[in-house]
Amino acid sequence: MPTVPLDDDATPPYPVGLRLAGRRVVVLGGGQVAQRRLPTLLAAGADVVVISPETTPAVQAMADANELTWEQRGYREGDLADAWYALIATADPAVNAAAAAEAEAGRVFCARSDDASAASAWTPASGRQEGTVVAVLSGDPRRSAALRDAVISGIRDGSLAAAHHRGHTAGVALVGGGPGDPDLITVKGRRLLAEADVVVADRLAPRELLEELPPHVEVIDASKIPYGRYMAQEAINNALIEHAKAGKFVVRLKGGDPYVFGRGMEELIACAEAGVPVTVVPGISSSISVPAAAGIPVTHRGVTHEFIVISGHVAPEDPRSLVNWNAAAQMRGTLVLLMAVERIAAISAALVAGGRSPETPVAVVQEGTTAAQRVVRATLATVASVVEAEGIRPPAVVVIGDVVALAG
């Protein structure tokens, strides 16, 4: 959707999209301009030849990976022969002018980084989103980029969904909503949410996102409150299948990532067995993001080379437990516990009994990444009493290990 002002002082360019797959494109210069332009040319399938005595490391890496051909020399007359398009971006205006003259004589459209007025083609500010290319030409590169970004942002966050909507076929999208902050949902997740007919939402999914849904969207509460009200998993599976089979596009909005203790695979299997197509959109897991929001890295050079994420849904002594707590205790790295607040006394005792030092630093982050975030600090020996004294309740993430001390 090119945008071109009709200035009195200049003839506006004719907007067109070049299909360059398999066609020779010559890029003169291997600096920052070339580095920015090359990925789009390569994505278009162009047969790219870069001619330059030197390149940036990124351009050299593209050549080393055989994504393009790099001829390590300066421009020579005849370099644009058989080219379909040329990008002239050397630091020498005389070379640029000579190459532009060759392009003009050979009827090769070319863009010039140093003088757009002397070029036969302008490079638009462009972006791609789900098969749609947005290109803006305004004569002012900064304005073009700003307009491009506004349009792409609108498509990504759904605010331009009405104009962009191509119509989803009936099916289900398992969308990871992230740890709680609505800004931490993925771009794709937010876009699919904006295009949903039905949303089946977890208690831990970002609640603010539901307020942005159009009035016609049906929202089904699939919350599971610990030791309280809940929607059975079988009922959730049935809701996804029934609405999808009714011809609707259903978003299953989950907290964190669908496949990190989120029963996402169970829902995918149920849908697949019913013949319902499923798209899985990964989310930012609270196991990494919540510690980060509290200033705690789960890994740090010289401190730990490993971290493990463990479900504390059942206590160590519970026969249903699948965790080798002795092995976890003997690790030197970071332990991240999800759904463990209610059983932290038994878990900390098991870790100490398994060999982990009772003085190991511990942080408990409640409602991480949200405005209600709280952080309490303790050791393995004291964490159970601290959690009780501070009234910590789910959702909370427990981080165990020396990395906790790095947060200060």
Side-chain angles (χ1 to χ4, degrees):
M1 46 188 300
T3 302
V4 182
L6 299 178
D7 297 334
D8 293 334
D9 298 333
T11 302
Y14 179 76
V16 65
L18 298 180
R19 303 184 65 184
L20 297 174
R23 296 185 168 109
R24 177 181 171 89
V25 172
V26 176
V27 177
L28 301 181
Q32 293 295 327
V33 173
Q35 180 178 321
R36 291 198 306 271
R37 300 283 184 255
L38 283 168
T40 305
L41 291 171
L42 294 172
D47 178 11
V48 177
V49 177
V50 174
I51 299 174
S52 180
E54 298 178 345
T55 68
T56 66
V59 174
Q60 180 179 343
M62 297 177 202
D64 291 343
N66 294 320
E67 294 181 274
L68 54 82
T69 301
W70 173 27
E71 298 187 12
Q72 193 172 2
R73 58 175 178 80
Y75 162 73
R76 294 195 295 254
E77 186 175 354
D79 280 340
L80 303 188
D82 300 323
W84 289 72
Y85 177 71
L87 171 61
I88 301 173
T90 80
D92 187 336
V95 169
N96 293 346
E102 179 186 344
E104 186 73 15
R107 297 186 177 182
V108 177
F109 279 104
C110 77
R112 283 183 62 173
S113 63
D114 62 335
D115 187 356
S117 66
S120 58
W122 288 359
T123 303
S126 62
R128 180 183 293 271
Q129 180 63 30
E130 289 295 312
T132 297
V133 177
V134 174
V136 180
L137 291 167
S138 71
D140 179 345
R142 292 186 179 181
R143 182 167 183 265
S144 295
L147 289 170
R148 181 270 320 274
D149 291 345
V151 175
I152 290 292
S153 177
I155 294 173
R156 284 176 173 169
D157 66 22
S159 61
L160 291 182
H164 171 68
H165 186 64
R166 295 178 296 168
H168 269 285
T169 56
V172 172
L174 305 180
V175 175
D181 182 342
D183 286 341
L184 293 180
I185 189 173
T186 64
V187 168
K188 184 172 184 178
R190 190 161 192 148
R191 179 180 56 77
L192 293 183
L193 184 64
E195 298 178 2
D197 300 308
V198 179
V199 175
V200 181
D202 269 357
R203 177 179 69 96
L204 299 180
R207 296 171 295 180
E208 294 89 339
L209 295 177
L210 301 180
E211 299 176 5
E212 301 175 2
L213 296 173
H216 72 274
V217 177
E218 180 179 356
V219 178
I220 298 173
D221 185 358
S223 299
K224 291 183 174 71
I225 301 174
Y227 307 105
R229 297 169 58 191
Y230 70 96
M231 184 175 181
Q233 187 61 52
E234 184 177 358
I236 294 173
N237 296 348
N238 290 337
L240 298 176
I241 294 166
E242 289 172 6
H243 284 288
K245 286 195 168 183
K248 297 181 178 179
F249 177 57
V250 185
V251 168
R252 174 70 168 107
L253 183 62
K254 308 169 79 68
D257 181 275
Y259 285 178
V260 180
F261 306 131
R263 297 192 174 183
M265 195 63 184
E266 295 179 40
E267 294 168 357
L268 182 144
I269 291 171
C271 290
E273 290 178 346
V276 173
V278 178
T279 298
V280 179
V281 182
I284 300 176
S285 173
S286 61
S287 61
I288 299 172
S289 56
V290 166
I296 302 169
V298 293
T299 65
H300 187 72
R301 185 170 62 172
V303 177
T304 177
H305 291 170
E306 61 194 6
F307 74 96
I308 183 172
V309 182
I310 301 175
S311 169
H313 184 61
V314 294
E317 68 273 12
D318 192 306
R320 297 172 298 168
S321 176
L322 302 176
V323 179
N324 186 335
W325 289 102
N326 283 333
Q330 292 164 22
M331 291 178 60
R332 296 182 61 185
T334 306
L335 305 181
V336 180
L337 310 181
L338 306 183
M339 301 176 287
V341 168
E342 302 288 344
R343 285 155 292 279
I344 192 60
I347 290 172
S348 58
L351 290 172
V352 171
R356 195 78 176 224
S357 168
E359 299 305 312
T360 302
V362 178
V364 183
V365 188
Q366 177 178 303
E367 298 186 63
T369 78
T370 73
Q373 175 175 302
R374 292 179 61 200
V375 183
V376 297
R377 297 176 182 278
T379 64
L380 269 183
T382 64
V383 64
S385 59
V386 169
V387 163
E388 181 178 4
E390 295 291 336
I392 299 296
R393 294 291 180 266
V397 175
V398 181
V399 188
I400 301 170
D402 292 339
V403 292
V404 172
L406 297 175

